[in-house]
């Protein structure tokens, strides 16, 4: 019986030990072994658990990916300038026709960044982004309007009583209507242009007022009294006579003056873009001359012989065809040459600057072209959002390359200094102190001022990256030196020496991997510093210069009180994205430091 009890006790003991091996705290032993974390995994999990650091990763990743990918879909011409689009506020709706005007429209016209229209009752409507606050101040007691035209920043209208009224910009004589037009002349057609206004009377006489220096009209002999219609752009005015001939109201020779002889006497319609002219002959064919900028002279072959009306924008034309459809050609940067498909015949067209309208038989209006800017424009009419993306790539590239260069130098100097010690350490540390004592900004400014104007812009950008890299390494060199001094006394270094491993191998293959996390954290924080430094240099005019975009030189163009007060988007968006980027990078660096050294949270 005793032997039997002893065997039973032994059996239970064996089962208990097996169970204890299989279950520890209710969890299988295999799962317990899987929960043992390596140091790298512990660091990674600690970093992932840091909400501030992860928010920084998300914010920086979004900015970085946008700056990296979106410029391929939203290209930018660095040398593009257009004063007609200067200082446009953020937002869309330039082509959003008011609902009260839909299916009740009488006439539409497009200005630089806004549109105007009148309904069947003669009431006026305005919409879009207004370059002049006076545009919103409609003259009192205008009465019923029958015609309206929008210019750069002013409007001209004709009442049913034959009176001309104008509002908006009134400088350069735009508000001074000629006395002849106020003394009973019957007006047939009006036009608001770049900085001029025009009016054609029923007896074929053309009158102009406004900036006569910009558009100096010279009437050929016998033209006045024979004008049927006219067309104008910022440089020139052309007229179509009652005999079907085209004449230029200027003595300046140029591309516009080369009017094709074969069309004279057969022209029924005339339109101008900023660089070319288009004449419609009685057979429905479009003839163009001038400069073929952005395809403005490339008339689609399939519409020839079917055109009944033509209108011109800044670099594009829109035509009405005899089958009730519309066609467009020329610049399509903003979609102003991409006519939408509509389910009804088109009865009227309008074009101007970077937009177009077509009106269906029901009176419904369809707009296409430039509808606004996400972040507005700067003083040169450049899209702030596109320049922000382009500038982000430049700022991040300069900062990244400068950090890589400074980290490379700092690791080499710090690694050799910390491992060698003695005279080499003393010499390298004195060199580090000399470099760190150089006043960075004054040195960079002096160097940029001396040789900056004698080199190309690409060389200037490279110079800035090199300067940033060559003067930013002392901090990381000291950090690496201190870490190597601590690691070189470890047993694995002694073992490597005993095995005859070369000193370079010990430093860079055995010691540096043990301090690489510290280097990564420091490089991350230096990246934000280099971005801020580049932006500071560009802001004061000694970094990357125009037309290349960086966040710094975008802020440089927003230093005046007028810009800060009136054009807030020119400085808010660059400052905001730069702040978000640098704060995010600093949060990432702090998160990495805390994950690598948990005790740093207690300090």
């Amino acid at each position: 019986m005793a032997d039997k009890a002893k065997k039973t006790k032994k059996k239970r003991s064996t089962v208990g030990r097996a169970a204890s091996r299989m279950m520890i705290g209710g969890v299988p032993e295999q799962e317990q072994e899987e929960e043992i974390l390596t140091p790298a995994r512990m660091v990674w999990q600690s970093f992932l658990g840091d909400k501030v650091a992860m928010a920084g990763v998300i914010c920086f990743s979004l900015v970085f990916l946008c700056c990296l990918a979106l410029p391929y879909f939203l290209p930018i011409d660095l040398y593009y300038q257009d004063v007609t689009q200067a200082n446009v506020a953020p937002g869309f709706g330039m082509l959003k026709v008011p609902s009260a005007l839909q299916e009740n429209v009488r006439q539409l016209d497009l200005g630089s960044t806004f549109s105007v229209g009148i309904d069947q009752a003669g009431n006026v409507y305005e919409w879009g982004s207004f370059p002049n606050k006076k545009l919103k101040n409609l003259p009192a007691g205008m009465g019923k309007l029958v015609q309206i035209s929008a210019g750069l920043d002013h409007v001209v209208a004709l009442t049913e009583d034959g009176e001309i009224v104008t509002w908006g910009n009134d400088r350069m004589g735009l508000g001074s209507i000629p006395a002849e037009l106020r003394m009973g002349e019957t007006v047939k057609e009006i036009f608001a242009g770049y900085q001029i206004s025009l009016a054609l009377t029923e007896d074929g006489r053309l009158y102009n007022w406004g900036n006569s220096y910009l558009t100096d009209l010279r009437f050929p002999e016998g033209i006045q009294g024979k004008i049927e219609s006219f067309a104008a752009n910022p440089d020139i005015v052309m007229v179509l006579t009652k005999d079907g001939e085209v004449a230029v109201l200027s003595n300046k020779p140029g591309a516009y003056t080369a009017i094709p002889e074969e069309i004279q006497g057969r022209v029924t319609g005339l339109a101008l873009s900023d660089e070319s002219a288009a004449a419609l002959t009685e057979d429905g064919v479009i003839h163009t001359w001038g400069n073929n900028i952005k395809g403005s002279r490339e008339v689609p072959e399939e519409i020839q012989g079917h055109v009944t009306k033509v209108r011109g924008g800044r670099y594009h034309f829109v035509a009405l065809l005899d089958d009730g459809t519309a066609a467009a050609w020329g610049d399509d940067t903003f979609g102003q040459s991409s006519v939408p498909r509509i389910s009804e015949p088109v009865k009227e067209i309008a074009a101007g600057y970077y937009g177009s309208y077509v009106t269906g038989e029901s009176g419904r209006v369809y707009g296409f072209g430039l509808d606004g800017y996400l972040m507005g424009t700067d003083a040169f009419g450049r899209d702030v959002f596109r320049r922000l993306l382009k500038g982000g790539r430049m700022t991040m590239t300069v900062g990244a390359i400068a950090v890589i260069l400074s980290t490379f130098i700092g690791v080499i100097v710090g690694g050799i200094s910390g491992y060698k010690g003695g005279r080499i350490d003393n010499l390298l540390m004195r060199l580090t102190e000399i470099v760190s004592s150089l006043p960075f900004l004054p040195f960079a400014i002096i160097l940029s001022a001396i040789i900056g104007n004698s080199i190309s812009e690409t060389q200037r950008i490279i110079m800035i990256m090199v300067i940033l890299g060559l003067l930013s390494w002392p901090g990381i060199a000291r950090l690496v030196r201190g870490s190597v001094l601590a690691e070189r006394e470890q047993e694995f270094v002694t073992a490597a020496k005993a095995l005859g491993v070369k000193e370079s191998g010990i430093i860079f293959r055995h010691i540096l991997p043990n301090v690489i996390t510290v280097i990564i954290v420091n490089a991350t924080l230096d990246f934000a510093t280099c971005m801020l430094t580049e932006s500071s240099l560009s802001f004061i005019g000694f970094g990357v210069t125009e037309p290349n975009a960086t966040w710094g030189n975008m802020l440089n163009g927003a230093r005046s009180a007028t810009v800060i007060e009136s054009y807030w988007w020119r400085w808010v968006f660059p400052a905001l994205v730069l702040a978000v980027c640098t704060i995010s990078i600093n949060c990432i660096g702090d998160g990495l430091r805390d994950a690598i050294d948990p005790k740093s949270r207690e300090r």
Side-chain angles (χ1 to χ4, degrees), residues 419 490-503 506 510:
Y419 182 78
Q490 300 295 326
E491 291 81 358
F492 69 90
V493 176
T494 304
K497 289 179 180 178
L499 291 171
V501 178
K502 294 181 179 180
E503 290 183 343
I506 294 174
H510 296 284

Side-chain angles (χ1 to χ4, degrees), residues 261-488:
E261 287 294 333
E262 65 272 15
I263 69 171
Q264 295 289 26
R266 300 190 300 118
V267 180
T268 59
L270 184 65
L272 288 178
S273 72
D274 275 24
E275 297 289 343
S276 58
L280 171 63
T281 52
E282 53 197 9
D283 56 359
V285 175
I286 295 289
H287 303 264
T288 61
W289 65 95
N291 299 315
N292 188 25
I293 302 298
K294 301 183 179 181
S296 59
R297 293 189 57 190
E298 299 171 4
V299 186
E301 190 64 33
E302 62 271 15
I303 73 170
Q304 293 288 31
H306 302 283
V307 182
T308 60
K309 188 179 292 186
V310 62
R311 295 287 184 266
R314 197 151 170 80
Y315 301 108
H316 76 289
F317 291 98
V318 180
L320 178 63
L321 308 183
D322 54 13
D323 61 355
T325 61
W329 65 93
D331 182 23
D332 198 34
T333 303
F334 302 104
Q336 65 267 43
S337 294
S338 299
V339 182
R341 292 187 178 183
I342 60 177
S343 58
E344 59 179 324
V346 177
K347 70 174 184 179
E348 191 56 72
I349 58 172
Y353 289 87
Y354 296 106
S356 307
Y357 291 110
V358 295
T359 305
E361 280 191 345
S362 66
R364 185 164 187 80
V365 181
Y366 304 86
F368 52 101
L370 177 61
D371 194 41
Y373 300 91
L374 180 63
M375 293 184 180
T377 63
D378 63 10
F380 297 101
R382 300 174 298 191
D383 191 332
V384 170
F385 179 62
R386 297 193 183 201
R387 285 185 63 79
L388 202 64
L389 297 175
K390 191 74 174 178
R393 293 178 69 177
M394 180 65 72
T395 299
M396 290 184 190
T397 299
V398 171
I401 293 178
V403 165
I404 291 171
L405 182 59
S406 65
T407 301
F408 179 76
I409 297 173
V411 167
I412 291 177
V413 172
I416 295 174
S417 178
Y419 182 78
K420 285 288 190 179
R423 292 183 178 179
I424 295 178
D425 179 28
N426 191 33
L427 178 65
L428 291 177
M429 285 300 100
R430 299 297 79 74
L431 174 64
T432 302
E433 291 171 1
I434 292 172
V435 174
S436 62
S437 66
L438 291 174
F440 175 76
L441 280 177
F443 181 80
I445 291 171
I446 292 170
L447 192 60
S448 178
I450 293 174
I451 66 174
N453 295 327
S454 60
I455 58 179
S456 67
E457 187 61 28
T458 302
Q459 292 172 330
R460 186 187 184 94
I461 294 170
I462 294 173
M463 182 189 72
I464 293 169
M465 291 188 292
V466 171
I467 292 174
L468 279 171
L470 291 180
L471 297 182
S472 302
W473 59 265
I476 195 169
R478 291 194 185 98
L479 185 66
V480 171
R481 173 183 175 270
S483 300
V484 170
L485 282 172
E487 293 291 329
R488 73 176 184 176

Side-chain angles (χ1 to χ4, degrees), residues 520-557:
I520 291 173
V521 171
N522 191 78
T524 302
L525 297 173
D526 280 350
F527 180 34
T529 303
C530 286
M531 286 176 58
L532 284 172
T533 305
E534 181 280 323
S535 297
S536 301
L537 283 173
S538 298
F539 175 73
I540 60 178
F542 292 96
V544 181
T545 57
E546 296 279 3
N548 290 291
T550 71
W551 293 338
N553 65 24
M554 288 181 71
L555 289 170
N556 180 49

